[in-house]
Amino acid sequence: AVVSTQSTGRLSRYLQILTCNSATKSNPLPIGSLFVLNGPSFLLAIIGTFCTAFLTMAINALTMPWGGKYFSLPCMITVGLIYRALDDVPGLIRIPLEETTTPEDHLIKWKLHQAERATTEAKATEMAQINVNAENCGEVA
């Protein structure tokens, strides 16, 4: 059988991903993230725990008559739902896996990020105000 170079390259990439061989500093393989322990992350952990427990009971009740196995499906569903809602949780400090160091370093990076974001928002607001003023001056003249 003839195997093309492109399919062999894809196959080796998939094997690297499965075996985590590509998780180096130059080519990070982020699978998930960590959260700085604060109120929102603690609350999210509690909600996730209860959600996983209830999903486990529900899926177990559904699959029990057929002897079905669900393994980590309840946990994966809960993690998927949490990742969908990450942007809606205020105060949640998310640290990608490739940037993990120490908790103190994470907090410093987060505070710097917040300061840069506030500066950018202030500049955008100032530019919007200048544009509104310029439009108003154009209408009067």
Side-chain angles (χ1 to χ4, degrees):
V2 177
V3 179
S4 71
T5 311
Q6 184 180 9
S7 64
T8 336
R10 267 191 250 150
L11 178 63
S12 67
R13 179 67 181 148
Y14 291 139
L15 291 175
Q16 285 178 349
I17 289 172
L18 290 175
T19 59
C20 295
N21 286 339
S22 65
T24 62
K25 199 65 174 172
S26 62
N27 188 14
L29 178 66
I31 304 175
S33 56
L34 299 175
F35 301 99
V36 172
L37 184 59
N38 60 6
S41 66
F42 187 73
L43 183 63
L44 201 60
I46 298 297
I47 291 170
T49 302
F50 282 108
C51 184
T52 301
F54 287 122
L55 276 173
T56 301
M57 290 185 285
I59 293 174
N60 189 24
L62 289 173
T63 60
M64 182 69 74
W66 301 282
K69 302 290 183 203
Y70 51 86
F71 301 110
S72 63
L73 182 63
C75 181
M76 300 313 295
I77 291 172
T78 303
V79 168
L81 291 173
I82 286 173
Y83 273 102
R84 285 285 285 174
L86 279 182
D87 294 334
D88 298 332
V89 180
L92 191 62
I93 304 171
R94 181 175 168 214
I95 307 295
L97 289 180
E98 66 269 12
E99 296 178 12
T100 56
T101 53
T102 63
E104 294 81 10
D105 191 31
H106 298 164
L107 196 55
I108 290 169
K109 286 179 184 178
W110 174 255
K111 288 180 179 179
L112 288 173
H113 172 71
Q114 289 297 92
E116 289 173 6
R117 190 170 154 191
T119 304
T120 304
E121 288 175 0
K123 286 181 182 177
T125 305
E126 183 180 337
M127 289 303 294
Q129 186 62 35
I130 290 171
N131 289 338
V132 167
N133 290 340
E135 288 174 5
N136 289 341
C137 290
E139 290 177 5
V140 173

